[in-house]
Amino acid sequence: MILQIVAVSAGLGLIIAGLGLALLRVLRRRSIGVMLAVVAVVTVTATLAGVVAITLEMVIDGRPKNIVLTVVAIGGLVGLGVALVNARRVVLASRRVVEALEKVSPSGRFSPPEGPLPAELQTISTALEQAYERLRLGRERERALESARRELVAWVSHDLRTPLAGMRAMAEALEDGVADDPETVKRYHTQIRLEVDRLSGMVDDLFELSRIHAGSLRLSRGRVGLGDLLADALAGVEPLARAKRVHLSGEADAAVPVNADAGELGRAVRNLVVNAIRHTPADGTVSVRAVADGGMASLSVLDCCGGIPEDDLPRVFDVAFRGEAARTPGPDGGAGLGLAIARGIVEAHEGEIGVVNEGPGCRFEIRLPLSP
Ligand SMILES: Nc1ncnc2c1ncn2[C@@H]1O[C@H](COP(=O)(O)OP(=O)(O)O)[C@@H](O)[C@H]1O
Ligand SMILES: [Mg+2]
Protein backbone atom coordinates (compact mmCIF):
# COMPACT_ATOMS: atom_id res chain seq x y z
CA MET A 1 0.00 0.00 0.00
CA ILE A 2 2.68 2.48 1.03
CA LEU A 3 4.68 1.59 -2.08
CA GLN A 4 1.71 2.53 -4.22
CA ILE A 5 1.41 5.90 -2.47
CA VAL A 6 5.14 6.53 -2.85
CA ALA A 7 4.92 5.71 -6.53
CA VAL A 8 1.90 7.96 -7.13
CA SER A 9 3.19 10.98 -5.20
CA ALA A 10 6.75 10.61 -6.52
CA GLY A 11 5.39 10.38 -10.07
CA LEU A 12 3.26 13.48 -9.58
CA GLY A 13 6.20 15.19 -7.88
CA LEU A 14 8.47 14.48 -10.86
CA ILE A 15 5.90 15.83 -13.29
CA ILE A 16 5.51 18.99 -11.21
CA ALA A 17 9.29 19.32 -10.85
CA GLY A 18 9.64 19.00 -14.61
CA LEU A 19 7.01 21.69 -15.16
CA GLY A 20 8.70 23.90 -12.54
CA LEU A 21 12.12 23.56 -14.17
CA ALA A 22 10.63 24.33 -17.57
CA LEU A 23 8.92 27.37 -16.12
CA LEU A 24 12.20 28.50 -14.54
CA ARG A 25 13.89 28.17 -17.91
CA VAL A 26 11.26 30.40 -19.46
CA LEU A 27 11.71 32.86 -16.58
CA ARG A 28 15.53 32.78 -16.64
CA ARG A 29 15.74 36.51 -17.36
CA ARG A 30 13.35 37.38 -14.55
CA SER A 31 14.15 38.41 -11.02
CA ILE A 32 15.80 35.95 -8.65
CA GLY A 33 12.80 36.68 -6.37
CA VAL A 34 10.43 35.28 -9.04
CA MET A 35 12.58 32.16 -9.29
CA LEU A 36 12.45 31.64 -5.53
CA ALA A 37 8.67 31.99 -5.67
CA VAL A 38 8.52 29.30 -8.39
CA VAL A 39 10.58 26.97 -6.21
CA ALA A 40 8.19 27.56 -3.30
CA VAL A 41 5.15 26.96 -5.53
CA VAL A 42 6.67 23.69 -6.83
CA THR A 43 7.25 22.45 -3.26
CA VAL A 44 3.75 23.30 -2.11
CA THR A 45 2.11 21.89 -5.27
CA ALA A 46 4.08 18.65 -5.10
CA THR A 47 3.03 18.18 -1.46
CA LEU A 48 -0.59 19.06 -2.22
CA ALA A 49 -0.61 16.67 -5.16
CA GLY A 50 0.53 13.87 -2.87
CA VAL A 51 -2.16 14.74 -0.34
CA VAL A 52 -4.83 14.80 -3.05
CA ALA A 53 -3.57 11.45 -4.32
CA ILE A 54 -3.98 9.77 -0.95
CA THR A 55 -7.37 11.27 -0.30
CA LEU A 56 -8.51 10.05 -3.70
CA GLU A 57 -7.25 6.58 -2.91
CA MET A 58 -8.97 6.80 0.47
CA VAL A 59 -6.19 4.92 2.06
CA ILE A 60 -6.10 6.80 5.34
CA ASP A 61 -6.77 3.80 7.45
CA GLY A 62 -3.95 1.83 8.99
CA ARG A 63 -0.99 4.16 9.56
CA PRO A 64 -2.06 7.66 8.52
CA LYS A 65 0.91 9.27 10.25
CA ASN A 66 3.44 7.46 8.13
CA ILE A 67 1.51 8.06 4.96
CA VAL A 68 1.21 11.81 5.53
CA LEU A 69 4.88 12.02 6.50
CA THR A 70 5.88 10.14 3.36
CA VAL A 71 3.84 12.40 1.10
CA VAL A 72 5.17 15.56 2.76
CA ALA A 73 8.73 14.25 2.58
CA ILE A 74 8.42 13.54 -1.13
CA GLY A 75 6.97 17.00 -1.73
CA GLY A 76 9.88 18.50 0.20
CA LEU A 77 12.45 16.47 -1.73
CA VAL A 78 10.97 17.58 -5.05
CA GLY A 79 11.10 21.23 -3.89
CA LEU A 80 14.69 20.75 -2.71
CA GLY A 81 15.70 19.29 -6.05
CA VAL A 82 14.20 22.16 -8.01
CA ALA A 83 15.74 24.68 -5.60
CA LEU A 84 19.20 23.12 -6.06
CA VAL A 85 18.96 23.17 -9.85
CA ASN A 86 17.77 26.78 -9.75
CA ALA A 87 20.47 27.84 -7.29
CA ARG A 88 23.09 26.28 -9.56
CA ARG A 89 21.79 28.27 -12.54
CA VAL A 90 21.94 31.53 -10.59
CA VAL A 91 25.43 30.75 -9.30
CA LEU A 92 26.64 29.91 -12.81
CA ALA A 93 25.15 33.14 -14.16
CA SER A 94 26.85 35.23 -11.49
CA ARG A 95 30.11 33.41 -12.18
CA ARG A 96 29.76 34.36 -15.85
CA VAL A 97 29.46 38.01 -14.83
CA VAL A 98 32.57 37.73 -12.64
CA GLU A 99 34.51 36.04 -15.44
CA ALA A 100 33.51 38.78 -17.89
CA LEU A 101 34.66 41.33 -15.32
CA GLU A 102 38.02 39.60 -14.86
CA LYS A 103 38.61 39.68 -18.62
CA VAL A 104 38.42 43.50 -18.78
CA SER A 105 41.77 45.22 -19.11
CA PRO A 106 42.16 48.37 -16.99
CA SER A 107 41.50 50.65 -19.96
CA GLY A 108 39.09 48.38 -21.82
CA ARG A 109 35.36 48.02 -22.19
CA PHE A 110 33.25 45.64 -20.11
CA SER A 111 31.17 43.40 -22.35
CA PRO A 112 28.37 41.61 -20.48
CA PRO A 113 28.47 37.78 -20.64
CA GLU A 114 26.66 36.08 -23.51
CA GLY A 115 23.27 34.51 -22.89
CA PRO A 116 20.38 35.31 -20.60
CA LEU A 117 20.93 36.54 -17.05
CA PRO A 118 18.48 36.94 -14.16
CA ALA A 119 17.16 40.50 -13.99
CA GLU A 120 19.31 41.56 -11.02
CA LEU A 121 22.52 40.30 -12.60
CA GLN A 122 21.49 41.89 -15.90
CA THR A 123 21.05 45.24 -14.12
CA ILE A 124 24.42 44.89 -12.42
CA SER A 125 26.16 43.99 -15.63
CA THR A 126 24.57 46.92 -17.51
CA ALA A 127 25.64 49.25 -14.69
CA LEU A 128 29.16 47.82 -14.87
CA GLU A 129 29.23 48.37 -18.61
CA GLN A 130 28.24 52.01 -18.17
CA ALA A 131 30.69 52.55 -15.32
CA TYR A 132 33.56 51.15 -17.38
CA GLU A 133 32.56 53.33 -20.32
CA ARG A 134 32.55 56.43 -18.11
CA LEU A 135 35.94 55.47 -16.71
CA ARG A 136 37.33 54.96 -20.19
CA LEU A 137 36.03 58.34 -21.41
CA GLY A 138 37.42 60.02 -18.30
CA ARG A 139 40.83 58.49 -18.83
CA GLU A 140 40.79 59.49 -22.49
CA ARG A 141 39.94 63.08 -21.57
CA GLU A 142 42.70 63.05 -18.99
CA ARG A 143 45.21 61.78 -21.53
CA ALA A 144 44.22 64.43 -24.09
CA LEU A 145 44.46 67.15 -21.44
CA GLU A 146 47.82 65.88 -20.28
CA SER A 147 49.28 65.87 -23.77
CA ALA A 148 47.83 69.32 -24.45
CA ARG A 149 49.46 70.52 -21.26
CA ARG A 150 52.82 69.06 -22.25
CA GLU A 151 52.55 70.66 -25.67
CA LEU A 152 51.60 73.95 -24.05
CA VAL A 153 54.64 73.95 -21.81
CA ALA A 154 56.87 73.22 -24.81
CA TRP A 155 55.32 76.02 -26.89
CA VAL A 156 55.23 78.50 -24.08
CA SER A 157 58.84 78.01 -23.21
CA HIS A 158 59.68 78.45 -26.88
CA ASP A 159 57.46 81.53 -27.15
CA LEU A 160 58.97 83.05 -24.06
CA ARG A 161 62.56 82.25 -24.93
CA THR A 162 62.55 83.75 -28.43
CA PRO A 163 61.44 87.28 -27.48
CA LEU A 164 63.57 87.19 -24.34
CA ALA A 165 66.66 86.47 -26.47
CA GLY A 166 65.76 89.38 -28.76
CA MET A 167 65.23 91.73 -25.84
CA ARG A 168 68.50 90.68 -24.30
CA ALA A 169 70.35 91.40 -27.54
CA MET A 170 68.74 94.85 -27.84
CA ALA A 171 69.39 95.68 -24.19
CA GLU A 172 73.05 94.67 -24.60
CA ALA A 173 73.41 96.78 -27.71
CA LEU A 174 71.99 99.77 -25.85
CA GLU A 175 74.17 99.09 -22.81
CA ASP A 176 77.41 98.73 -24.81
CA GLY A 177 76.63 101.80 -26.90
CA VAL A 178 76.73 99.66 -30.09
CA ALA A 179 73.39 101.17 -31.00
CA ASP A 180 73.87 104.87 -30.48
CA ASP A 181 72.07 106.70 -33.27
CA PRO A 182 68.86 108.16 -31.76
CA GLU A 183 66.68 106.41 -34.37
CA THR A 184 67.87 102.91 -33.45
CA VAL A 185 67.83 103.63 -29.72
CA LYS A 186 64.22 104.72 -29.97
CA ARG A 187 63.25 101.71 -32.07
CA TYR A 188 64.91 99.30 -29.62
CA HIS A 189 63.15 100.90 -26.68
CA THR A 190 59.78 100.66 -28.41
CA GLN A 191 60.47 97.09 -29.45
CA ILE A 192 61.44 96.09 -25.93
CA ARG A 193 58.30 97.67 -24.49
CA LEU A 194 56.08 95.90 -27.04
CA GLU A 195 57.68 92.56 -26.27
CA VAL A 196 57.31 93.14 -22.54
CA ASP A 197 53.61 93.90 -23.10
CA ARG A 198 53.16 90.76 -25.15
CA LEU A 199 54.97 88.57 -22.65
CA SER A 200 52.98 90.08 -19.76
CA GLY A 201 49.80 89.30 -21.66
CA MET A 202 50.94 85.74 -22.15
CA VAL A 203 51.85 85.24 -18.50
CA ASP A 204 48.50 86.76 -17.56
CA ASP A 205 46.71 84.32 -19.90
CA LEU A 206 48.60 81.40 -18.44
CA PHE A 207 47.61 82.48 -14.96
CA GLU A 208 43.96 82.82 -15.97
CA LEU A 209 44.00 79.41 -17.63
CA SER A 210 45.56 77.75 -14.63
CA ARG A 211 42.85 79.28 -12.44
CA ILE A 212 40.19 77.96 -14.80
CA HIS A 213 41.73 74.48 -14.80
CA ALA A 214 42.15 74.47 -11.04
CA GLY A 215 38.48 75.43 -10.73
CA SER A 216 39.43 78.46 -8.67
CA LEU A 217 38.03 81.09 -11.03
CA ARG A 218 36.02 83.35 -8.70
CA LEU A 219 33.14 85.02 -10.51
CA SER A 220 31.54 88.06 -8.95
CA ARG A 221 28.28 87.94 -10.85
CA GLY A 222 25.62 90.53 -11.30
CA ARG A 223 23.03 91.59 -13.84
CA VAL A 224 24.91 92.65 -16.95
CA GLY A 225 23.52 93.90 -20.26
CA LEU A 226 25.16 91.98 -23.09
CA GLY A 227 24.86 95.05 -25.33
CA ASP A 228 26.88 97.21 -22.90
CA LEU A 229 29.46 94.48 -22.54
CA LEU A 230 29.74 94.32 -26.31
CA ALA A 231 30.12 98.10 -26.63
CA ASP A 232 32.95 98.07 -24.08
CA ALA A 233 34.72 95.21 -25.84
CA LEU A 234 34.44 96.95 -29.23
CA ALA A 235 35.75 100.22 -27.81
CA GLY A 236 38.76 98.33 -26.43
CA VAL A 237 39.70 96.71 -29.75
CA GLU A 238 38.97 99.77 -31.92
CA PRO A 239 42.68 100.75 -32.21
CA LEU A 240 43.64 97.24 -33.31
CA ALA A 241 40.88 97.22 -35.94
CA ARG A 242 41.94 100.65 -37.18
CA ALA A 243 45.57 99.55 -37.41
CA LYS A 244 44.52 96.51 -39.47
CA ARG A 245 41.98 98.54 -41.48
CA VAL A 246 39.24 96.10 -40.48
CA HIS A 247 35.72 97.44 -40.30
CA LEU A 248 33.91 96.73 -37.03
CA SER A 249 30.14 96.53 -36.87
CA GLY A 250 28.16 95.99 -33.69
CA GLU A 251 24.45 95.36 -33.25
CA ALA A 252 22.52 94.57 -30.09
CA ASP A 253 18.93 94.02 -28.93
CA ALA A 254 17.76 96.59 -26.39
CA ALA A 255 17.83 94.33 -23.36
CA VAL A 256 19.85 91.17 -23.22
CA PRO A 257 20.45 90.79 -19.50
CA VAL A 258 22.67 87.96 -18.26
CA ASN A 259 23.88 87.06 -14.81
CA ALA A 260 27.60 87.35 -15.31
CA ASP A 261 30.96 88.59 -14.13
CA ALA A 262 31.38 91.55 -16.47
CA GLY A 263 35.18 91.51 -16.26
CA GLU A 264 35.59 87.83 -17.06
CA LEU A 265 32.88 87.63 -19.71
CA GLY A 266 34.29 90.79 -21.30
CA ARG A 267 37.63 89.07 -21.51
CA ALA A 268 36.08 86.10 -23.32
CA VAL A 269 34.30 88.40 -25.80
CA ARG A 270 37.47 90.41 -26.38
CA ASN A 271 39.40 87.20 -27.16
CA LEU A 272 36.83 86.33 -29.84
CA VAL A 273 36.81 89.81 -31.37
CA VAL A 274 40.61 90.11 -31.36
CA ASN A 275 40.89 86.74 -33.11
CA ALA A 276 38.29 87.81 -35.68
CA ILE A 277 40.18 91.04 -36.42
CA ARG A 278 43.50 89.22 -36.67
CA HIS A 279 42.16 86.66 -39.12
CA THR A 280 40.29 89.15 -41.29
CA PRO A 281 42.18 90.72 -44.22
CA ALA A 282 42.36 94.51 -44.61
CA ASP A 283 39.05 96.10 -45.67
CA GLY A 284 37.17 93.08 -44.36
CA THR A 285 34.36 93.34 -41.83
CA VAL A 286 33.91 91.85 -38.39
CA SER A 287 30.27 91.90 -37.25
CA VAL A 288 29.31 91.33 -33.66
CA ARG A 289 25.73 90.76 -32.55
CA ALA A 290 24.10 90.39 -29.13
CA VAL A 291 20.52 89.13 -29.23
CA ALA A 292 17.99 87.33 -27.06
CA ASP A 293 16.94 84.13 -28.75
CA GLY A 294 14.60 81.52 -27.31
CA GLY A 295 15.30 82.14 -23.62
CA MET A 296 19.02 82.35 -24.27
CA ALA A 297 21.34 85.29 -24.75
CA SER A 298 23.45 84.90 -27.85
CA LEU A 299 26.58 86.81 -28.72
CA SER A 300 28.14 86.05 -32.06
CA VAL A 301 31.23 87.25 -33.88
CA LEU A 302 31.32 86.84 -37.66
CA ASP A 303 34.58 87.45 -39.51
CA CYS A 304 36.09 87.14 -42.99
CA CYS A 305 38.79 84.59 -42.23
CA GLY A 306 37.91 82.43 -45.23
CA GLY A 307 36.79 79.54 -43.06
CA ILE A 308 38.57 77.26 -40.63
CA PRO A 309 39.49 73.78 -41.98
CA GLU A 310 36.71 71.32 -40.99
CA ASP A 311 39.20 69.11 -39.15
CA ASP A 312 40.34 72.02 -37.01
CA LEU A 313 36.85 73.24 -36.02
CA PRO A 314 36.46 70.98 -32.98
CA ARG A 315 40.04 71.66 -31.85
CA VAL A 316 40.23 75.45 -31.90
CA PHE A 317 39.15 75.59 -28.26
CA ASP A 318 41.91 73.21 -27.14
CA VAL A 319 44.72 74.61 -25.05
CA ALA A 320 47.71 75.60 -27.20
CA PHE A 321 45.93 74.89 -30.49
CA ARG A 322 47.01 77.36 -33.15
CA GLY A 323 46.25 75.68 -36.44
CA GLU A 324 48.96 74.14 -38.61
CA ALA A 325 50.00 77.25 -40.52
CA ALA A 326 50.43 79.24 -37.35
CA ARG A 327 52.91 76.95 -35.61
CA THR A 328 55.52 79.68 -35.63
CA PRO A 329 53.56 82.70 -34.55
CA GLY A 330 53.99 86.04 -36.23
CA PRO A 331 54.60 89.24 -34.30
CA ASP A 332 51.00 89.39 -33.07
CA GLY A 333 50.54 85.63 -32.70
CA GLY A 334 49.36 84.34 -29.34
CA ALA A 335 50.11 81.13 -27.53
CA GLY A 336 46.83 79.47 -28.50
CA LEU A 337 45.27 80.20 -25.12
CA GLY A 338 42.63 82.78 -26.05
CA LEU A 339 39.85 80.40 -27.05
CA ALA A 340 40.60 77.91 -24.27
CA ILE A 341 40.22 80.80 -21.82
CA ALA A 342 37.01 81.99 -23.50
CA ARG A 343 35.54 78.50 -23.27
CA GLY A 344 36.57 78.16 -19.61
CA ILE A 345 34.94 81.48 -18.73
CA VAL A 346 31.75 80.77 -20.69
CA GLU A 347 31.39 77.32 -19.13
CA ALA A 348 31.91 78.78 -15.67
CA HIS A 349 28.82 80.88 -16.51
CA GLU A 350 26.83 77.73 -17.41
CA GLY A 351 26.99 78.79 -21.05
CA GLU A 352 28.15 77.25 -24.30
CA ILE A 353 30.59 78.40 -26.91
CA GLY A 354 30.90 77.10 -30.45
CA VAL A 355 32.09 77.88 -33.93
CA VAL A 356 30.79 77.23 -37.45
CA ASN A 357 32.03 78.26 -40.86
CA GLU A 358 29.63 80.73 -42.35
CA GLY A 359 29.61 83.16 -45.26
CA PRO A 360 33.01 84.72 -45.87
CA GLY A 361 34.54 83.32 -42.71
CA CYS A 362 33.52 81.75 -39.46
CA ARG A 363 31.09 82.61 -36.72
CA PHE A 364 31.93 82.15 -33.03
CA GLU A 365 28.91 82.16 -30.75
CA ILE A 366 28.53 82.39 -26.98
CA ARG A 367 25.16 81.32 -25.56
CA LEU A 368 24.20 82.10 -21.98
CA PRO A 369 20.98 81.72 -20.00
CA LEU A 370 19.02 85.01 -19.99
CA SER A 371 18.78 86.59 -16.59
CA PRO A 372 15.08 86.73 -15.51
N1 LIG B 1 38.24 84.22 -35.95
C1 LIG B 1 39.05 83.23 -36.35
N2 LIG B 1 39.19 82.97 -37.66
C2 LIG B 1 39.99 81.97 -38.07
N3 LIG B 1 40.70 81.18 -37.27
C3 LIG B 1 40.61 81.40 -35.95
C4 LIG B 1 39.78 82.43 -35.41
N4 LIG B 1 39.88 82.42 -34.10
C5 LIG B 1 40.72 81.41 -33.80
N5 LIG B 1 41.19 80.80 -34.89
C6 LIG B 1 42.13 79.66 -34.94
O1 LIG B 1 42.14 79.08 -33.65
C7 LIG B 1 43.46 79.14 -33.11
C8 LIG B 1 43.40 79.32 -31.61
O2 LIG B 1 42.96 80.61 -31.28
P1 LIG B 1 43.33 81.21 -29.87
O3 LIG B 1 43.01 80.20 -28.83
O4 LIG B 1 42.74 82.56 -29.72
O5 LIG B 1 44.91 81.28 -29.90
P2 LIG B 1 45.86 82.37 -30.60
O6 LIG B 1 45.01 83.55 -30.97
O7 LIG B 1 46.84 82.65 -29.55
O8 LIG B 1 46.45 81.67 -31.77
C9 LIG B 1 44.12 80.24 -33.86
O9 LIG B 1 45.52 80.07 -33.89
C10 LIG B 1 43.53 80.10 -35.25
O10 LIG B 1 44.15 79.05 -35.94
MG1 LIG C 1 43.59 84.49 -29.85
Side-chain angles (χ1 to χ4, degrees):
M1 179 52 67
I2 189 117
L3 271 185
Q4 198 187 346
I5 291 169
V6 167
V8 170
S9 49
L12 284 175
L14 281 182
I15 293 172
I16 292 167
L19 288 176
L21 287 175
L23 185 61
L24 280 174
R25 220 182 135 64
V26 172
L27 297 179
R28 64 196 185 279
R29 289 176 198 276
R30 301 301 287 276
S31 160
I32 295 173
V34 171
M35 297 178 187
L36 292 179
V38 171
V39 171
V41 167
V42 165
T43 312
V44 171
T45 324
T47 311
L48 271 181
V51 171
V52 170
I54 47 177
T55 43
L56 284 183
E57 297 277 317
M58 288 299 185
V59 288
I60 310 188
D61 52 348
R63 305 183 301 263
K65 213 165 76 185
N66 280 355
I67 293 171
V68 170
L69 279 181
T70 309
V71 166
V72 171
I74 290 175
L77 281 177
V78 168
L80 185 65
V82 174
L84 284 178
V85 172
N86 183 49
R88 197 175 146 67
R89 279 191 194 153
V90 172
V91 167
L92 284 181
S94 76
R95 211 172 281 160
R96 267 158 53 220
V97 174
V98 173
E99 272 164 17
L101 195 57
E102 279 167 352
K103 267 194 275 176
V104 187
S105 67
S107 59
R109 276 169 217 261
F110 173 78
S111 34
E114 312 255 308
L117 290 176
E120 286 83 358
L121 291 180
Q122 186 63 51
T123 311
I124 291 176
S125 102
T126 310
L128 276 173
E129 193 177 6
Q130 289 165 350
Y132 265 90
E133 187 59 14
R134 273 198 300 275
L135 267 178
R136 204 178 57 79
L137 290 179
R139 255 191 304 263
E140 227 157 66
R141 232 187 340 263
E142 201 107 299
R143 244 198 314 270
L145 212 64
E146 182 54 40
S147 87
R149 213 166 279 160
R150 256 201 303 273
E151 201 173 325
L152 174 69
V153 170
W155 280 109
V156 162
S157 40
H158 169 263
D159 286 3
L160 290 177
R161 211 169 314 126
T162 315
L164 281 175
M167 279 156 64
R168 190 197 166 94
M170 287 185 276
E172 273 175 0
L174 291 171
E175 192 178 29
D176 299 347
V178 176
D180 52 3
D181 64 301
E183 186 98 336
T184 314
V185 169
K186 183 164 185 309
R187 190 160 51 82
Y188 278 13
H189 278 138
T190 311
Q191 189 67 28
I192 289 174
R193 191 183 51 73
L194 286 177
E195 291 290 7
V196 167
D197 286 350
R198 201 166 71 85
L199 291 182
S200 313
M202 225 157 102
V203 171
D204 193 43
D205 278 354
L206 275 174
F207 184 59
E208 174 86 359
L209 200 63
S210 82
R211 281 198 303 167
I212 289 172
H213 282 169
S216 60
L217 189 67
R218 294 268 166 272
L219 299 177
S220 52
R221 300 171 76 157
R223 204 179 153 87
V224 179
L226 213 51
D228 299 338
L229 196 93
L230 190 62
D232 288 347
L234 289 185
V237 299
E238 179 67 44
L240 176 66
R242 191 146 4 96
K244 278 215 64 186
R245 287 200 291 125
V246 167
H247 182 66
L248 275 182
S249 105
E251 180 191 332
D253 279 356
V256 193
V258 288
N259 178 24
D261 181 319
E264 295 291 344
L265 193 59
R267 178 179 193 141
V269 173
R270 205 162 43 243
N271 285 353
L272 296 191
V273 181
V274 167
N275 277 350
I277 296 174
R278 277 197 192 140
H279 291 95
T280 295
D283 297 323
T285 301
V286 168
S287 347
V288 192
R289 256 158 54 91
V291 294
D293 164 26
M296 297 289 272
S298 150
L299 187 146
S300 61
V301 182
L302 178 67
D303 64 14
C304 298
C305 68
I308 296 176
E310 286 295 327
D311 289 349
D312 287 352
L313 276 180
R315 295 163 60 208
V316 291
F317 296 101
D318 289 354
V319 170
F321 177 81
R322 297 194 283 203
E324 286 316 317
R327 270 308 177 202
T328 317
D332 61 352
L337 306 182
L339 289 178
I341 290 174
R343 179 171 65 180
I345 291 174
V346 170
E347 285 177 355
H349 282 88
E350 297 97 39
E352 289 168 9
I353 188 168
V355 58
V356 289
N357 282 324
E358 188 181 303
C362 57
R363 191 161 67 88
F364 282 84
E365 184 180 22
I366 294 176
R367 289 178 75 80
L368 295 169
L370 270 179
S371 170

